[in-house]
Amino acid sequence: MSFLATPSYPQQNVPGGEPTQRHGFNPYADNGGSIIGIAGDDFLIMAGDTRHTAGYNINSRTERKVYRLGEESSLVLATVGFGADAKWLADTMKRAVDVCFPRLSMMKDFKFQHNLKDMTVSAAAQFLFTILYGNRFFPKYAYCILGGLDKNGKARLFSYDPVGSYSKEGERRAAAGAASSLIVPFLDNQVEFKNQYVPGTQGMTERPVEYLPLEKVEMLVKDAFTSATERHIEVGDGLQMVIVSAQHGVREEIIELKRD
Amino acid sequence: MSNPFSMNGGAVVAMVGKDCVAIGCDLRLGMQALTVSNNFPKIFSYGDAYLGLTGLATDVTTMSELFRYKVNMYRLREERDIEPETMANLVSSTLYERRFGPYFVSPVIAGINQRTGKPFICGFDSIGCIDFAKDFIVSGTASDQLFGTCESLWEPDLEPEDLFETCAQALLNAVDRDALSGWGAHVYVITKDKIIKRLLKGRQD
């Protein structure tokens, strides 16, 4: 049985021999689209387009990217990147903070384990980090923006990379996805007033940053997406906006974007 | 190192307003991530036509001097300045001559036609295909960012001062999100009887 001792490897394209074939499987895809989140003082808007693409193909014109994490909760999660991973993250987050177990009705994961208290935004933010970093060596290929109101009714916003990096202080505005490079400089300028100076100060005094009113933020979100739709092929069809307000609760709105 | 268009960095933008045009560029010259100079303007004037060039810096310099020669020869033959539209065709045919070994530049032209009084802007790819735009043209390593800012800040029929502000804000905010562009900017606002050139400081990082 000496032939067993000699290892035999498949030969790589030996001249005159059979050509070998390499097999590959790519577990990721890029499904396009963009999301943004802007926080006001006591409200926030999370938005995303509703186009779902694969290369030059459009899989869906009505696929939402912004998820509410629970009926009573102010938590909202927006995800882009690989659609399947994005949805998995949203489902996992939903299950953690809200969804009932079928067998034990009314029993919610977090509430059950935490003395019937709702999960706070900062807790949800840290939890999302744990989920993402837990997949550090086979990452969920999705960029996340998480938003909600804290216990004082103030808006909080967090943005993540696929392996979980985020800032605990939160941010004023965030954008991710295919058209983020188009949207971010616009938001720098219009939300944080970058490169703007107080008139008459010879460019010495920067325009102070202030919280914007809801109507203004809604306008900026629409402008950002109509512009991105105009210049990016993976963005378009519809704009889903989830508006979380301390006074008026949560409202969802979908408006049309160009479908070309 | 593999893409000649992004080795040195840089950005140019041109916009149309009401009887006016604006063209702006950043001032950075780099070698990959290392900044070598913060005074490398990318806009060159040829009479009524203004030419912005981004891409490989050596080609930017070569092309700007080649067009200086060509436009001077044109002026001697015709005894008048070159019109922006003519300049566009000159740039296009010059680039296409090198169809299979191109200059690595993305030119932009802006100007007002002194005969008709009409504002004119256009852009090119590196082999001379002309993009006639009615609104704005962007080019360079910050072109994605510029598309975003221009598309959302620009509106039709801006007066010269408003056009300057729009162009400057679009450029400054775009280059601040591109590591290969920035370090100050030049913005020209061109009307039929006046040209204003402004030097903007911008972020120095």
Side-chain angles (χ1 to χ4, degrees):
Chain A
M1 302 289 268
S2 62
F3 66 94
L4 278 180
T6 25
S8 78
Y9 299 108
Q11 298 256 271
Q12 299 262 341
N13 292 338
V14 185
E18 285 287 304
T20 55
Q21 238 197 296
R22 195 171 280 269
H23 211 69
F25 169 65
N26 181 198
Y28 298 118
D30 182 358
N31 298 115
S34 262
I35 50 167
I36 66 176
I38 302 177
D41 181 28
D42 57 353
F43 70 90
L44 66 111
I45 297 187
M46 304 277 280
D49 67 316
T50 61
R51 178 174 288 184
H52 189 278
T53 64
Y56 291 133
N57 299 312
I58 296 171
N59 294 328
S60 172
R61 296 187 194 277
T62 54
E63 186 74 21
R64 294 152 189 239
K65 290 180 189 65
V66 188
Y67 304 89
R68 287 197 59 190
L69 304 178
E71 296 285 300
E72 307 102 85
S73 170
S74 72
L75 292 175
V76 183
L77 175 70
T79 54
V80 268
F82 178 27
D85 283 353
K87 193 161 255 176
W88 181 88
L89 283 167
D91 288 347
T92 306
M93 285 300 285
K94 258 190 221 165
R95 186 168 64 241
V97 306
D98 188 62
V99 170
C100 306
F101 276 87
R103 275 188 295 129
L104 308 160
S105 59
M106 299 309 292
M107 195 234 268
K108 302 181 178 185
D109 265 23
F110 184 86
K111 276 194 170 178
F112 181 72
Q113 288 168 53
H114 292 84
N115 202 210
L116 300 177
K117 272 196 286 198
D118 278 319
M119 198 189 276
T120 60
V121 232
S122 50
Q126 186 64 18
F127 183 77
L128 180 54
F129 158 76
T130 313
I131 300 287
L132 290 165
Y133 197 80
N135 291 287
R136 171 63 179 80
F137 297 108
F138 188 8
K140 295 296 170 200
Y141 185 38
Y143 292 84
C144 297
I145 299 175
L146 180 73
L149 300 171
D150 68 10
K151 56 172 169 282
N152 303 315
K154 300 286 177 204
R156 302 292 304 277
L157 198 66
F158 303 94
S159 88
Y160 298 80
D161 76 355
V163 285
S165 302
Y166 83 109
S167 154
K168 285 190 182 182
E169 289 92 78
E171 15 233 316
R172 204 55 169 278
R173 88 270 119 86
S180 63
S181 58
L182 285 75
I183 296 171
V184 164
F186 172 65
L187 260 32
D188 285 346
N189 189 219
Q190 296 296 312
V191 179
E192 301 204 326
F193 304 145
K194 289 280 162 63
N195 287 112
Q196 289 194 251
Y197 293 88
V198 177
T201 61
Q202 266 66 251
M204 296 309 287
T205 314
E206 287 180 7
R207 180 175 168 191
V209 182
E210 64 208 38
Y211 282 116
L212 297 167
L214 180 65
E215 302 74 48
K216 174 77 178 167
V217 174
E218 215 171 317
M219 212 181 72
L220 290 177
V221 169
K222 287 176 185 170
D223 278 357
F225 273 95
T226 42
S227 300
T229 300
E230 205 66 44
R231 295 288 176 172
H232 202 111
I233 56 168
E234 290 176 355
V235 179
D237 295 329
L239 169 58
Q240 178 199 9
M241 288 196 293
V242 175
I243 299 135
V244 184
S245 157
Q247 274 97 21
H248 305 103
V250 186
R251 177 175 108 233
E252 185 171 319
E253 198 180 313
I254 292 183
I255 60 166
E256 297 254 298
L257 286 174
K258 282 169 74 172
R259 291 157 69 91
D260 59 359
Chain B
M1 179 54 201
S2 54
N3 185 189
F5 287 98
S6 53
M7 284 163 62
N8 306 117
V12 166
V13 57
M15 285 180 174
V16 175
K18 192 170 168 33
D19 305 316
C20 56
V21 289
I23 181 167
C25 68
D26 73 323
L27 296 182
R28 182 179 181 271
L29 171 75
M31 291 164 64
Q32 250 81 267
L34 173 71
T35 301
V36 177
S37 165
N38 44 231
N39 191 193
F40 188 79
K42 294 157 190 75
I43 296 171
F44 308 92
S45 114
Y46 302 97
D48 298 335
Y50 283 75
L51 177 68
L53 293 163
T54 63
L56 194 68
T58 183
D59 286 352
V60 168
T61 309
T62 305
M63 293 239 71
S64 71
E65 281 171 12
L66 181 64
F67 285 121
R68 184 164 62 112
Y69 164 72
K70 289 196 173 191
V71 169
N72 282 341
M73 292 304 285
Y74 182 95
R75 201 181 280 126
L76 287 169
R77 265 200 303 272
E78 301 276 329
E79 298 185 341
R80 62 183 171 88
D81 273 348
I82 194 165
E83 292 178 14
E85 289 87 342
T86 317
M87 182 71 189
N89 287 290
L90 177 67
V91 170
S92 177
S93 49
T94 305
L95 288 169
Y96 199 78
E97 270 184 6
R98 291 279 173 271
R99 171 64 179 79
F100 296 111
Y103 289 112
F104 299 109
V105 289
S106 313
V108 173
I109 284 178
I112 291 200
N113 188 313
Q114 285 300 325
R115 193 167 46 83
T116 63
K118 283 230 172 70
F120 176 83
I121 59 163
C122 70
F124 311 81
D125 65 7
S126 59
I127 52 171
C129 177
I130 312 180
D131 171 5
F132 296 106
K134 287 192 259 303
D135 42 12
F136 51 81
I137 290 284
V138 306
S139 97
T141 51
S143 61
D144 276 16
Q145 289 87 338
L146 278 166
F147 270 128
T149 53
C150 290
E151 193 65 61
S152 44
L153 297 179
W154 184 87
E155 50 189 276
D157 298 320
L158 288 163
E159 297 295 332
E161 277 310 295
D162 296 333
L163 184 70
F164 161 74
E165 199 58 38
T166 308
C167 186
Q169 289 294 324
L171 181 63
L172 254 18
N173 289 287
V175 298
D176 285 352
R177 282 289 178 176
D178 177 26
L180 301 180
S181 308
W183 288 69
H186 284 181
V187 175
Y188 295 74
V189 181
I190 304 156
T191 47
K192 194 152 192 289
D193 50 4
K194 192 163 69 174
I195 292 141
I196 303 169
K197 178 187 180 183
R198 289 190 175 91
L199 317 175
L200 309 179
K201 191 111 177 84
R203 283 180 73 105
Q204 300 292 311
D205 61 3

